[in-house]
Amino acid sequence: PVYVQRRCDVVAQIMDKMHQLPSVVCLSAGTAHVPQYITPHNGLPLWESTSSAAYLMRHKQYPVPENQVFAETTSYDTISNAFFARTTMTDITGWRR
């Protein structure tokens, strides 16, 4: 979404300057405060995290390698962002700091 494009640009630019690339976890299915965006071509939801991940991988100046980008599509608020990032990503992969 347009409202997260700027933060994705910053992430892509930072990762371009790094020698050893960290993984990027894009969070959030959306928000509970506005209706979920439904794509017109197939009637399915467009998750904030998957659109952010796609944007990063297709960034015009600084594309982020596909194997470094992960998306979490369960959470709808900040607390659940943290919970699901931990339980579906970091606890499983062993990622730390």
Side-chain angles (χ1 to χ4, degrees), residues 5 11 13-14 16 30 34-35 46 49 53 57 59 61 78 80 91:
Q5 183 175 342
V11 168
Q13 190 173 13
I14 290 170
D16 183 65
V34 296
L46 177 64
S49 59
M57 291 182 289
H59 198 277
Q61 269 188 294
T78 305
S80 57
D91 285 355

Side-chain angles (χ1 to χ4, degrees), residues 41-72:
H41 66 282
N42 63 11
L44 296 173
L46 177 64
W47 309 121
E48 181 180 318
S49 59
T50 56
S51 61
S52 294
Y55 181 82
L56 286 169
M57 291 182 289
R58 296 181 186 119
H59 198 277
K60 289 182 171 122
Q61 269 188 294
Y62 312 109
V64 178
E66 184 177 322
N67 65 339
Q68 298 302 122
V69 181
F70 297 84
E72 176 276 315

Side-chain angles (χ1 to χ4, degrees), residues 14-22:
I14 290 170
M15 288 194 67
D16 183 65
K17 294 178 181 356
M18 300 182 83
H19 298 292
Q20 183 177 357
L21 293 180

